[in-house]
Amino acid sequence: MNTSVIEAIERQKTTNLYDASKSIPDDEIRELVRLATFSPTAFHLQNWRFIAVRSPEAKARLRAVAANQPKVTEAAVTFIMVGELAVADVMADRLAGSVAAGFMPVEMVPGWEAAAKSLYFEKPQTQRDEAIRSATFGASGLIHAAQAMGLGTTPMIGFDPVGVSREFSLSDNEVPALLVAVGYPTEANWPQKPRRPISDVLAFA
């Protein structure tokens, strides 16, 4: 059992107040995203993008379409977690690395493509659901990576998706799933909030 991973999970809490004077270097932002991309996706589609909103001008634009939440501008960077609508057309490209690594037979790729097509083709709600799921998995990975680097995070759903798409030029096949603010927490933040009892949330079948 990896106790350090368990301890990290148990320490996780949401940050609401950030030290706006502190920034995060671009190299560290890249490392956060690199670590987040180890999160899983269906069919290994990796159907996500991470938009790191870090300039004052971009933060102001995002805050204007995110319910004017101060966290958007006070955090060092706020990520727009973007999910791509799931399609089978990109399968060969997304699996090319696994084929090149030698553990996935190239003959297996068409089967995966067919399975993905049967699941997503002409099913817009399923495509959108997968986009949201993938972006959320990526956000979770980002949150844990930030915690490991001594940073605080805030996942946020309080924003205008149409406004975010417009301001940050998202394509028609992209969905802004959530925002994740990342930065240095101040000492004024609350402690971790208590969780519901396991007996309330667990059922055995």
Side-chain angles (χ1 to χ4, degrees), residues 11 16 24 27 37 39 53 57 59-60 80 91 96 99 106 108 110-111 118-119 134 139 143-144 159 182 195 200:
R11 289 197 309 270
N16 282 302
I24 300 174
D27 284 349
T37 60
S39 302
V53 181
E57 180 272 334
K59 285 181 179 180
I80 303 171
M91 188 71 67
V99 173
V106 67
M108 190 179 289
S118 69
L119 186 61
S134 295
I143 288 167
H144 288 299
F159 62 91
V182 180
R195 265 46 182 180
D200 288 358

Side-chain angles (χ1 to χ4, degrees), residues 15-86:
T15 297
N16 282 302
L17 301 170
Y18 290 92
D19 185 342
S21 69
K22 294 183 177 179
S23 60
I24 300 174
D26 285 359
D27 284 349
E28 289 187 23
I29 292 174
R30 292 187 185 94
E31 179 64 3
L32 284 169
V33 173
R34 186 188 74 82
L35 293 168
T37 60
F38 284 99
S39 302
T41 53
F43 296 102
H44 198 52
L45 282 172
Q46 305 168 80
N47 52 320
W48 48 33
R49 280 205 304 136
F50 302 70
I51 301 177
V53 181
R54 73 201 195 314
S55 73
E57 180 272 334
K59 285 181 179 180
R61 285 194 290 122
L62 180 57
R63 180 168 170 170
V65 290
N68 197 35
Q69 295 179 80
K71 293 183 283 284
V72 173
T73 50
E74 292 173 358
V77 55
T78 297
F79 288 90
I80 303 171
M81 300 299 305
V82 180
E84 296 176 352
L85 297 179

Side-chain angles (χ1 to χ4, degrees), residues 104-137:
M104 183 175 196
V106 67
E107 297 82 7
M108 190 179 289
V109 174
W112 283 43
E113 288 177 321
K117 187 172 183 178
S118 69
L119 186 61
Y120 303 125
F121 185 64
E122 294 186 343
K123 297 177 181 176
Q125 185 62 56
T126 305
Q127 291 178 335
R128 180 181 171 82
D129 289 348
E130 200 64 77
I132 298 293
R133 275 192 289 266
S134 295
T136 304
F137 278 138

Side-chain angles (χ1 to χ4, degrees), residues 1 7 43 61 73 93 101 132 145 170 191-192 202:
M1 182 179 293
E7 289 170 359
F43 296 102
R61 285 194 290 122
T73 50
D93 177 67
I132 298 293
L170 270 60
Q192 185 188 69
L202 172 65

